[in-house]
């Protein structure tokens, strides 16, 4: 495993050296040479040499985590999506359509973040427009996953609270329009933050060579006031959506308990379903809560240690953001019998049923 990691990192470094020697980074490097402010020089040096703040073993672990998350997602999600999209009966059920949209968002997010991590490990230098494009796509895909989770809670709430009017209130045609609306809202949400990012980098020398989301969070919390405000608004918005999701789960918990679902044979399945929902919601809350606490500590103390801030940002982005995306297909996909059977059949794990001959 260690040899494979060394070979991968060596190939990435070779690619980064070739890319940077092609002349794409000359403009940024020349801009940094003209910086006269000592603090700006320190920030520029930190953005270029930020990996020296981390021990080599821990740095490699942080770089490998998104790759492992992508491998975990890519093994399951394509099979689930193919099963849902090729079965007309599943395409006519709202829960499967919303689940497919959420898993597709998670797959694309983890793939895009893995690509960004590989480029950072290779030391590839990007312009602000290329970096803004990567950050915008990550924001769109993450927002789509959060909003899809909210839509899944709304779908379950309608099925439990108003079962007789469920098909009239939430038909398949309306579900498809909701999915289109989710992607439309997901495009608008990150646009403001990316706009602030471009505006900020148009007013200062080119200091962000490597397009790293953890590095951007460090600089946002420690230096840039406009990006702090943008980050705070984004955190508050995501927390608000997650709180709505939690409220929906609590309402469903109360109504199902009052209806007697928690008694009898269906009790174990109901408890398992809510346990999956709460676990995924808790994992989704963790990175946002850590970012909120980090912002509050900065406003309270004024200055944070760059090394500690970098560690927190790496854990949030490379572990806490990727973990719920990597576990979602296993938590939800394996919960449905049809999808679980498709996965077991695809990988040849289904046990053949014993047939007893009748004499």
């Amino acid at each position: 495993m260690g040899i494979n990691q060394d070979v991968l990192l060596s190939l990435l470094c070779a690619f980064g050296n070739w890319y940077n020697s092609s002349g794409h980074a000359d403009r940024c490097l020349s801009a940094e040479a003209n910086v006269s402010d000592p603090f700006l020089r320190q920030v520029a040096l930190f953005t270029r040499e930020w990996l020296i703040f981390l021990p080599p073993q821990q740095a490699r672990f942080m770089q490998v985590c998104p790759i492992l998350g992508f491998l975990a997602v890519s093994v399951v999600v394509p099979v689930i999506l193919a099963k849902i999209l090729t079965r007309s009966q599943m395409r006519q059920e709202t829960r499967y359509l919303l689940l497919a949209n959420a898993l597709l968002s998670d797959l694309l997010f983890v793939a895009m973040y893995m690509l960004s991590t590989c480029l950072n490990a290779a030391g590839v230098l990007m312009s602000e427009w290329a970096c803004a494009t990567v950050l915008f796509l990550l924001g769109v895909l993450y927002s789509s996953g959060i909003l899809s989770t909210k839509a899944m809670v709304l779908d379950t709430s309608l099925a439990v609270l108003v079962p007789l009017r469920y098909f009239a209130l939430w038909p398949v045609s309306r579900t498809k329009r909701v999915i289109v609306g989710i992607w439309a809202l997901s495009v608008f949400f990150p646009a403001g933050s990316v706009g602030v990012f471009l505006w900020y980098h148009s007013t200062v020398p080119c200091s962000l060579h490597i397009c790293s989301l953890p590095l951007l969070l460090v600089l946002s919390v420690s230096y840039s006031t406009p990006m702090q405000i943008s980050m705070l608004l984004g955190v508050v918005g995501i927390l608000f959506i997650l709180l709505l999701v939690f409220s929906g789960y609590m309402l469903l918990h109360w109504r199902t308990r009052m209806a007697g679902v928690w008694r009898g044979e269906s009790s174990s399945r109901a408890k398992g379903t809510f346990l999956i929902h709460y676990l995924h919601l808790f994992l989704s809350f963790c990175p946002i809560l850590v970012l909120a606490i980090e912002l509050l500590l900065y406003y309270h103390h004024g200055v944070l240690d760059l090394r500690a801030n970098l560690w927190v940002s790496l854990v949030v982005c490379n572990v806490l953001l990727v973990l719920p995306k990597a576990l979602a297909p296993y938590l939800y996909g394996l919960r449905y019998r049809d999808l679980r059977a498709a996965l077991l059949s695809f990988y040849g794990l289904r046990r053949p049923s014993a047939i007893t001959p009748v004499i």
Side-chain angles (χ1 to χ4, degrees), residues 6-75:
D6 293 338
V7 172
L8 177 60
L9 292 176
S10 299
L11 292 175
L12 290 175
C13 290
F15 170 76
N17 292 333
W18 168 82
Y19 180 87
N20 296 333
S21 62
S22 62
H24 294 281
D26 291 342
R27 183 177 63 86
C28 292
L29 295 176
S30 61
E32 179 185 328
N34 296 326
V35 176
S36 57
D37 191 345
F39 182 74
L40 288 179
R41 281 185 174 273
Q42 182 182 4
V43 171
L45 178 63
F46 175 75
T47 58
R48 191 177 69 248
E49 305 291 344
W50 60 285
L51 282 177
I52 66 175
F53 287 86
L54 303 176
Q57 294 295 332
Q58 285 79 356
R60 290 182 180 180
F61 173 76
M62 289 297 175
Q63 293 170 348
V64 169
C65 282
I67 300 177
L68 296 178
F70 172 74
L71 293 177
V73 172
S74 60
V75 169

Side-chain angles (χ1 to χ4, degrees), residues 348-355:
L349 301 177
R350 176 185 293 178
R351 295 180 179 179
S353 58
I355 302 177

Side-chain angles (χ1 to χ4, degrees), residues 174-193:
R174 185 166 297 172
T175 302
K176 295 178 180 178
R177 291 196 293 269
V178 167
I179 292 176
V180 174
I182 286 174
W183 285 100
L185 290 176
S186 301
V187 170
F188 285 109
F189 282 165
S193 298

